[in-house]
Amino acid sequence: MSLFGEVPQATPVAVFKLSNDFKEDPNPMKVNLGVGAYRTDEGQPWVLPVVKKVEKIIVADNSLNHEYLPILGLPEFRSSASKIALGEDSPAIQENRVGAVQCLGGTGALKMGAEFLRRWYNGNDNMKTPVYVSAPTWENHNSVFANAGFEDVRPYKYWDAEKRGLDLAGFLGDLETAPKHSIFVLHACAHNPTGTDPTHVEWMQVAEVMKRRKLFVFFDSAYQGFASGCLDKDAWAVRYFVTQGFEMFCAQSFSKNFGLYNERVGNLTIVARDADNVRRVLSQMEKIVRVNWSNPPSQGARLVAITLNTAELFAEWKDNVKTMADRVLLMRASLQAKLQVLGTPGTWDHITQQIGMFSFTGLNPKQVEYMIKERSIYLMASGRINMCGLTTKNIDYVAESIHETVVNVQ
Amino acid sequence: MSLLKSSKVISSIGTFSPSLGVLSTRNSSWWGGVQMGPPDPILGVSEAFKRDTSPKKMNLGVGAYRDDHGKPFVLDCVRKAEALIASKQLDKEYLAIGGLGDFTKSCALLALGADSEVLKSGRNITVQTISGTGSLCVGANFLSRFHSASCDVYLPKPSWGNHTPIFRDAGMQLKAYRYYDPSTCGFDFSGALDDISKMPEKSVIMLHACAHNPTGVDPKPEQWKEIADLVKKRDLLVFFDMAYQGFASGDIDRDAWAVRHFIEQGHNIVLSQSFAKNMGLYGERVGGFTVVCNDAEEAKRVESQLKILIRPIYSNPPMNGARIAATILNTPDLYKIWLEEVHGMANRIIKMREQLAANLKSEGSTHNWQHVIDQIGMFCFTGLKPEQVERLTKEFSVYMTKDGRISMAGVTSGNVGYLAHGIHAVTK
């Protein structure tokens, strides 16, 4: 008789199962368009040249050790990370009303933000505040907020499957009818999984409604730099909302733009009314950090801090980021062109209009299954592909496979 | 141009000017009701220490090992492992949710021992966690979610300060059993047995595997045996916290004896391990959480649920520290060096205990300080009262936690005399 006799087998996290299945597939033509990690044109992971450089700097520095970081993390990481999101000249930073918590990746930053909001936002321990996540969204958003105690996690209209673009009217409509003080999780850029971002004008409309209806702004910024290749461009929405006077959270991930996936480098940037509010918020954040991980891991944060705070390294990093973004743009253009040449039924402009790592191809579940089973091309059931999985060597095979799939499977 | 046609957009342009938008709401914040949280009782001590400008200041707060010069100690095996790892030019791809396989295997092996039947039958699941805290967090939440028979967890009185908020935050009910006897500065064995005999069946009981934190008071093997028997009779779920394996006696097998004994006696325990202290990997956050299950099939089910739990907290754990630990544990030469270094750290602490007791005697203290020598591991429960602690901090710049706990690791041959002097001054 076991205490755990009744523990049911949980279904595996889809994106990781996909990678597992890909690994076990013996087909030499197989392509992994699943998990969101950058790949070179040789289909290999890429440790950024600037990262390799900084690692050597760290190894050579005998003054460094493995002591505990402060609860909120490495100070020079936190401040430089927030500057990346908000801009060097951000009025909020100048007015001393920005705080930050170093967290375990973007996930950890969302978690800390969610836990704080559940305890302190819209009353105390109010689990009933609705949390809105985009339809569709990164699947873990739902779990992060639900596990933080929020009982009402709902979708807001976002993706228009028919026109393969943003459902602005639906989005604004949900903002207008959301209960006051609802929390909205917004993708700062390179929306995951659709790759479809609002335009500047559309963001301004979103902000207007959110301000009027007193909705809480929680940005998820996992791809800054990766979307357009330019850090500032990709941060436009976040910075615009700051100029609009919002108090807000921004969960930042450095997994993709630094290629530091497994070192779990994240930052929760907090913009508040004034320094006193920031101070109190941070003191409560410490309590939450303490029961989850006590203090964050030092290696990745050190790497990022040294890079961001050293002029030549910062320049080199921006260059590395542009390299990645440019390759993605090239693959987008390539794929779209090939599908056009093949005469694949349907329109494929969304492939070049969408932005960032992912593309919502529009393939339906049956078509996805066909791609996986018959062509050994692994993509998410939603039709999401990771553009980074495409290379000059496999793009013809992928284009032909999409063509064959669309023609044969409805 | 279509911009100007939308009245909605015009009104938003009106509030575009930062000063206009902010002025109207400057004094109303979402966070107006957020109180200032009190500083962390343990980590807050270090922060206060940092602010102190006295040249004689001593940080005996957080349990981080210091060498005899009071400096942080990066183990030689760690540096060697780092060099090895650097030469391999590994990528930085995400780890699995459960962490680095090489690490989790060797982590379990370290705790359970090479002849462990549990390992042979594969009926444990061990996941990599964010050091000891992360392990306890995962464990507490796992029990809260899946141990439906009881939501009570019994902590020894006293226990590590962070145990309580971790379990409370996970939704468990905190209870206590007698453990420390202030009159002897030792183990209240009969009190513990008495309290355990009254625990409702299927309650969770937290046991410190070795080097009890904060008291440094461990049960003797014969006492552990009796506790194991009684716990089995009461049908309690055992949660071992092992943060100091190797640090207590200097011998990793000896320090894991209680854990292994309980398992041999048929307890399917859950276990938290930390490599912060015994490998000096504090800031790299290296730990493990183990569930000993009935069989491999059950272990698979439990594993799947642990992953579901971990994913919405931090997705997957950090690589750096786990890679270092795995390299040390799996490379015979490095493993040998590590055992020697752990032994060295434990020995230095034992020496400091002896010197502190001796110095207190020569200061002329008439109190019995035998417990300073009898207690084991990083911490010493001095027996100082909060007012005495406050004086020690204010007058001598000696920083420690209010409960009278000092980290022996912060004591050196250079400052042990000063410490004895201060303790004597506030207790005479």
Side-chain angles (χ1 to χ4, degrees):
Chain A
M1 258 316 294
S2 163
L3 289 164
F4 305 124
E6 301 305 310
V7 173
Q9 178 78 28
T11 44
V13 177
V15 69
F16 298 137
K17 177 168 188 306
L18 196 73
S19 281
N20 262 340
D21 292 345
F22 168 81
K23 240 188 245 149
E24 286 162 15
D25 188 328
N27 184 344
M29 300 290 287
K30 65 182 179 178
V31 183
N32 188 356
L33 301 180
V35 75
Y38 180 79
R39 292 284 177 270
T40 62
D41 197 51
E42 282 75 45
Q44 292 304 310
W46 193 48
V47 178
L48 274 58
V50 74
V51 166
K52 285 193 182 164
K53 212 177 257 186
V54 178
E55 278 179 327
K56 290 205 178 78
I57 293 175
I58 290 174
V59 160
D61 188 345
N62 279 320
S63 73
L64 295 176
N65 51 42
H66 294 290
E67 292 299 294
Y68 288 125
L69 286 181
I71 301 174
L72 297 179
L74 191 66
E76 51 269 36
F77 165 77
R78 295 158 57 210
S79 54
S80 57
S82 291
K83 279 206 186 94
I84 288 294
L86 305 183
E88 274 275 349
D89 47 3
S90 170
I93 294 180
Q94 280 160 10
E95 289 160 21
N96 226 348
R97 51 193 190 85
V98 172
V101 182
Q102 178 192 337
C103 298
L104 280 274
T107 306
L110 288 161
K111 165 73 168 174
M112 286 302 108
E115 289 285 346
F116 180 88
L117 290 173
R118 190 260 294 161
R119 285 164 172 70
W120 296 103
Y121 174 70
N122 200 23
N124 279 12
D125 269 321
N126 187 352
M127 327 252 200
K128 305 231 181 286
T129 304
V131 177
Y132 282 80
V133 299
S134 64
T137 194
W138 181 50
E139 116 282 337
N140 207 19
H141 279 152
N142 289 281
S143 318
V144 170
F145 283 88
N147 281 302
F150 287 103
E151 294 166 358
D152 186 357
V153 182
R154 329 170 173 180
Y156 60 87
K157 293 189 196 65
Y158 192 83
W159 169 251
D160 184 333
E162 275 215 49
K163 71 171 223 232
R164 292 207 185 139
L166 179 69
D167 178 5
L168 180 67
F171 187 1
L172 293 175
D174 281 346
L175 288 170
E176 290 286 3
T177 57
K180 269 211 169 116
H181 306 311
S182 294
I183 296 163
F184 273 74
V185 180
L186 308 172
H187 297 229
C189 69
H191 183 271
N192 178 1
T194 69
T196 300
D197 291 342
T199 61
H200 289 191
V201 172
E202 289 165 346
W203 272 125
M204 288 162 88
Q205 294 176 269
V206 167
E208 189 272 327
V209 182
M210 291 191 77
K211 192 192 296 198
R212 181 168 30 86
R213 307 215 59 254
K214 302 207 188 323
L215 304 172
F216 187 80
V217 176
F218 198 146
F219 271 110
D220 183 353
S221 178
Y223 300 97
Q224 189 182 359
F226 221 103
S228 68
C230 169
L231 290 170
D232 294 320
K233 256 175 144 171
D234 289 352
W236 187 88
V238 174
R239 297 174 190 184
Y240 174 72
F241 275 69
V242 172
T243 63
Q244 292 302 292
F246 283 94
E247 288 187 300
M248 53 197 248
F249 285 174
C250 179
Q252 302 169 258
S253 167
F254 291 90
S255 291
K256 283 84 175 173
N257 59 17
F258 258 90
L260 286 174
Y261 308 94
N262 69 19
E263 296 300 358
R264 315 313 293 124
V265 196
N267 194 48
L268 178 69
T269 287
I270 298 150
V271 181
R273 198 59 70 216
D274 53 42
D276 185 64
N277 276 294
V278 168
R279 200 176 47 93
R280 282 179 286 108
V281 167
L282 290 180
S283 74
Q284 295 298 344
M285 287 285 183
E286 285 193 344
K287 305 267 146 286
I288 302 170
V289 168
R290 190 53 164 143
V291 298
N292 279 281
W293 55 65
S294 276
N295 40 73
S298 75
Q299 179 72 358
R302 236 177 219 165
L303 253 157
V304 172
I306 292 173
T307 307
L308 298 182
N309 290 315
T310 313
E312 322 87 68
L313 296 173
F314 183 51
E316 188 174 348
W317 172 57
K318 285 195 281 191
D319 208 57
N320 289 172
V321 172
K322 189 158 187 311
T323 298
M324 293 191 284
D326 283 349
R327 196 180 93 67
V328 168
L329 288 169
L330 182 64
M331 289 300 103
R332 283 187 180 280
S334 248
L335 181 61
Q336 200 245 13
K338 285 184 194 293
L339 290 172
Q340 223 150 274
V341 161
L342 285 168
T344 308
T347 54
W348 299 98
D349 291 336
H350 55 282
I351 295 204
T352 42
Q353 277 161 10
Q354 286 163 7
I355 193 169
M357 207 181 261
F358 301 113
S359 176
F360 234 34
T361 54
L363 294 176
N364 65 41
K366 280 206 7 232
Q367 292 168 328
V368 168
E369 204 184 330
Y370 186 89
M371 287 277 280
I372 297 175
K373 289 215 158 66
E374 303 303 321
R375 310 291 291 189
S376 290
I377 295 177
Y378 290 77
L379 65 159
M380 301 298 291
S382 60
R384 183 192 90 169
I385 60 173
N386 176 6
M387 300 305 302
C388 302
L390 294 174
T391 69
T392 49
K393 291 180 197 63
N394 67 24
I395 195 156
D396 284 314
Y397 178 66
V398 173
E400 282 153 19
S401 303
I402 293 177
H403 180 84
E404 191 196 289
T405 304
V406 169
V407 162
N408 290 322
V409 183
Q410 270 81 50
Chain B
M1 287 303 108
S2 57
L3 204 76
L4 296 169
K5 288 186 183 149
S6 160
S7 58
K8 274 201 180 139
V9 175
I10 287 174
S11 67
S12 76
I13 288 177
T15 52
F16 197 95
S17 159
S19 54
L20 278 179
V22 170
L23 253 176
S24 61
T25 46
R26 188 178 279 291
N27 291 315
S28 82
S29 164
W30 285 133
W31 317 126
V34 174
Q35 294 127 38
M36 185 70 189
D40 183 274
I42 300 169
L43 300 177
V45 169
S46 282
E47 303 190 353
F49 167 83
K50 273 200 202 96
R51 294 191 289 265
D52 190 322
T53 51
S54 161
K56 295 206 134 153
K57 65 181 182 177
M58 289 177 69
N59 188 357
L60 303 182
V62 74
Y65 181 80
R66 295 285 174 266
D67 64 18
D68 201 48
H69 301 286
K71 295 271 174 281
F73 175 51
V74 178
L75 277 65
D76 189 45
C77 61
V78 167
R79 290 213 192 279
K80 289 188 159 68
E82 286 176 312
L84 250 169
I85 292 165
S87 69
K88 290 204 177 117
Q89 296 284 293
L90 301 164
D91 66 40
K92 303 210 177 289
E93 294 301 289
Y94 287 123
L95 285 177
I97 301 177
L100 182 66
D102 282 348
F103 168 72
T104 55
K105 275 196 201 69
S106 50
C107 173
L109 178 63
L110 181 68
L112 305 188
D115 355 291
S116 166
E117 162 275 321
V118 167
L119 294 177
K120 289 197 179 84
S121 53
R123 63 185 183 93
N124 67 299
I125 169 61
T126 300
V127 292
Q128 178 189 339
T129 56
I130 316 298
S131 205
T133 301
S135 178
L136 290 160
C137 172
V138 168
N141 280 281
F142 177 74
L143 292 181
S144 181
R145 197 176 273 192
F146 290 104
H147 182 52
S148 43
S150 170
C151 54
D152 289 341
V153 58
Y154 285 80
L155 302 180
K157 217 185 322 189
S159 193
W160 182 47
N162 206 20
H163 278 150
T164 294
I166 289 173
F167 281 98
R168 190 192 303 130
D169 195 68
M172 310 271 303
Q173 294 293 331
L174 273 312
K175 301 233 156 72
Y177 60 94
R178 275 170 285 168
Y179 190 86
Y180 179 70
D181 185 346
S183 65
T184 61
C185 291
F187 184 36
D188 182 358
F189 185 42
S190 53
L193 288 179
D194 192 30
D195 285 350
I196 292 172
S197 67
K198 300 192 174 91
M199 288 178 191
E201 291 187 354
K202 313 244 191 278
S203 305
V204 178
I205 179 170
M206 163 73 67
L207 300 169
H208 295 221
C210 63
H212 181 271
N213 179 0
T215 68
V217 168
D218 287 348
K220 302 202 182 5
E222 320 84 67
Q223 294 171 323
W224 272 127
K225 283 179 178 159
E226 274 199 62
I227 294 170
D229 281 344
L230 182 57
V231 164
K232 173 118 51 105
K233 278 202 191 72
R234 297 303 308 146
D235 195 14
L236 307 173
L237 199 173
V238 174
F239 197 142
F240 265 113
D241 185 354
M242 185 155 69
Y244 299 97
Q245 187 184 5
F247 229 101
S249 67
D251 180 326
I252 50 138
D253 292 312
R254 220 167 121 188
D255 288 351
W257 184 84
V259 169
R260 297 173 189 181
H261 175 74
F262 271 67
I263 291 175
E264 276 157 30
Q265 294 301 299
H267 296 270
N268 279 357
I269 66 166
V270 302
L271 166 70
S272 285
Q273 290 170 263
S274 166
F275 289 84
K277 284 86 175 171
N278 59 13
M279 280 193 182
L281 290 174
Y282 308 93
E284 302 296 339
R285 320 310 291 128
V286 191
F289 178 66
T290 294
V291 181
V292 177
C293 303
N294 263 7
D295 50 48
E297 186 271 334
E298 181 173 279
K300 279 261 156 293
R301 280 184 284 114
V302 169
E303 179 186 18
S304 71
Q305 294 296 346
L306 288 172
K307 288 175 172 175
I308 296 291
L309 211 144
I310 290 171
R311 171 74 162 153
I313 306 177
Y314 54 84
S315 278
N316 38 69
M319 164 67 95
N320 196 47
R323 179 75 76 187
I324 294 171
T327 302
I328 293 170
L329 294 173
N330 293 316
T331 311
D333 292 343
L334 297 184
Y335 187 67
K336 193 157 162 282
I337 297 174
W338 176 57
L339 292 180
E340 284 161 12
E341 293 189 287
V342 166
H343 193 76
M345 289 192 283
N347 272 355
R348 194 183 86 68
I349 287 178
I350 290 169
K351 220 166 109 196
M352 288 302 104
R353 288 181 178 280
E354 288 160 4
Q355 284 193 20
L356 179 58
N359 272 282
L360 283 163
K361 196 152 172 228
S362 49
E363 283 281 329
S365 178
T366 52
H367 296 289
N368 180 356
W369 295 102
Q370 183 59 31
H371 56 282
V372 169
I373 297 178
D374 290 343
Q375 288 166 5
I376 192 169
M378 203 179 271
F379 300 112
C380 170
F381 228 38
T382 55
L384 291 180
K385 301 188 186 38
E387 323 82 67
Q388 294 168 324
V389 171
E390 208 182 326
R391 277 190 63 199
L392 201 50
T393 302
K394 282 210 161 75
E395 296 171 30
F396 294 90
S397 290
V398 173
Y399 288 80
M400 51 196 283
T401 47
K402 269 200 323 253
D403 54 8
R405 181 192 89 164
I406 59 173
S407 169
M408 292 307 301
V411 181
T412 69
S413 45
N415 63 26
V416 64
Y418 177 74
L419 176 63
H421 179 72
I423 291 177
H424 177 58
V426 306
T427 56
K428 61 182 174 191

